[in-house]
Amino acid sequence: MGNTLKLELPYIKDRPMAMVKLGLPGKKARFFEMLIDSGADHTLISKSDAAVLGLDYEKIRSKETTHTAANLSLMHGKMAKMLITFIVSKDKEIEFEIPVFVTREEVECLIGRKGVFDRFKSTFKEKEQKVVLKD
């Protein structure tokens, strides 16, 4: 049997957050502090964050759609594929492709379920102030 991957992500500022790298294939990735949101369908970033990564919102090929957030605000955006990288240890990272909803509006960056939660068994340990992701 192979090794089981286990990521322990300590809360940041009393919130389930993760410092991850986000990027596009062939381009330099950047670190983002992202809320880990088990109630969100998709990972979200704003078009200004996408621009930092070298992705021009107007050149995203998918059709613009609208989504409603938990606070019932309407967001406009387009779906794009990006690479997310979790730092496992000083010398080990795990990187994979995920769908990302790039919004026209400024939003808090967050990690949603699709592409991430379906890869791992996730446990929010509120008392211990951490999120555990296991494959």
Side-chain angles (χ1 to χ4, degrees):
M1 253 169 101
N3 292 338
T4 299
L5 177 65
K6 181 178 178 182
L7 291 167
E8 293 196 14
L9 306 167
Y11 280 21
I12 300 171
K13 301 174 196 153
D14 295 325
R15 299 179 75 206
M17 311 272 295
M19 185 64 74
V20 298
K21 285 194 285 188
L22 204 58
L24 301 166
K27 297 201 177 195
K28 185 175 181 175
R30 307 274 184 189
F31 278 100
F32 287 85
E33 188 175 88
M34 302 180 80
L35 177 69
I36 303 168
D37 188 347
S38 63
D41 289 336
H42 294 97
T43 296
L44 296 179
I45 65 169
S46 67
K47 74 176 188 177
S48 61
D49 288 325
V52 168
L53 297 172
L55 179 62
D56 180 347
Y57 182 82
E58 300 306 323
K59 292 182 180 176
I60 298 173
R61 293 184 185 160
S62 68
K63 183 180 179 202
E64 187 172 270
T65 59
T66 57
H67 288 272
T68 304
N71 63 3
L72 302 180
S73 61
L74 194 62
M75 295 180 296
H76 304 83
K78 298 179 179 181
M79 293 302 298
K81 292 188 186 255
M82 294 189 181
L83 297 172
I84 190 167
T85 305
F86 287 92
I87 311 304
V88 179
S89 64
K90 188 174 82 172
D91 55 355
K92 184 174 181 185
E93 299 178 346
I94 178 171
E95 176 182 84
F96 50 91
E97 189 176 82
I98 60 169
V100 175
F101 189 67
V102 180
T103 66
R104 274 196 286 154
E105 298 80 14
E106 289 301 313
V107 294
E108 177 178 24
C109 295
L110 63 85
I111 298 170
R113 292 190 318 270
K114 293 187 181 186
V116 178
F117 285 74
D118 50 4
R119 293 181 69 96
F120 300 101
K121 177 183 176 189
S122 58
T123 307
F124 286 74
K125 295 188 171 191
E126 200 65 31
K127 189 174 182 179
E128 296 172 39
Q129 297 271 290
K130 68 180 172 182
V131 177
V132 178
L133 301 176
K134 289 165 86 172
D135 65 356

